[in-house]
Amino acid sequence: MSEGYLRHLLSEEIADLEKNGCTADNWENIKVASPFHAEHVCNVHFSGNVALGLFEKEFTLPGGVKKHSGIRNVTLHNCEIGDNTLIENVHNLSLIHISEPTRHSLI
């Protein structure tokens, strides 16, 4: 994900994120890839400079559980989240760069 690839959020996207339970210290510090799909970002608090990639893929986890890429129930501070990643139920991520997954693995 390169800097030229990212843009600021549109006012409609901010409204959608707020409807999804998201908050930010400053929405101007959040950059996203296009097309941005707010439905894949829920209950996230943003602080510092945050960059979000695309959320277009669905994963099948061991046991057949299907999950769509996105971010849910997380606090992000000064992070860059690459394309098609899935982050769920993490209290705080700070100063992290996560790139697109290249293989399935459990953490």
Side-chain angles (χ1 to χ4, degrees):
M1 189 166 55
S2 68
E3 185 64 27
Y5 179 66
L6 300 173
R7 62 170 176 80
H8 290 283
L9 287 163
L10 304 174
S11 59
E12 302 85 35
E13 293 167 333
I14 294 170
D16 288 342
L17 288 169
E18 290 175 334
K19 286 177 193 171
N20 292 348
C22 298
T23 58
D25 290 347
N26 184 346
W27 289 111
E28 287 293 314
N29 292 337
I30 313 308
K31 292 186 178 179
V32 297
S34 285
F36 177 69
H37 300 286
E39 65 267 23
H40 302 300
V41 181
C42 301
N43 300 316
V44 177
H45 176 70
F46 301 98
S47 68
N49 295 307
V50 176
L52 302 178
L54 300 172
F55 301 115
E56 299 178 318
K57 292 185 180 177
E58 186 176 85
F59 305 95
T60 302
L61 301 176
V65 175
K66 292 187 179 196
K67 295 276 189 165
H68 198 284
S69 58
I71 306 172
R72 293 177 274 287
N73 306 315
V74 178
T75 295
L76 297 176
H77 175 74
N78 288 331
C79 291
E80 183 175 319
I81 309 302
D83 295 341
N84 299 308
T85 56
L86 173 63
I87 302 170
E88 292 183 311
N89 306 316
V90 178
H91 188 67
N92 286 305
L93 285 179
S94 182
L95 303 170
I96 297 288
H97 169 90
I98 300 174
S99 59
E100 181 172 7
T102 56
R103 62 188 167 118
H104 292 281
S105 62
L106 294 175
I107 298 175

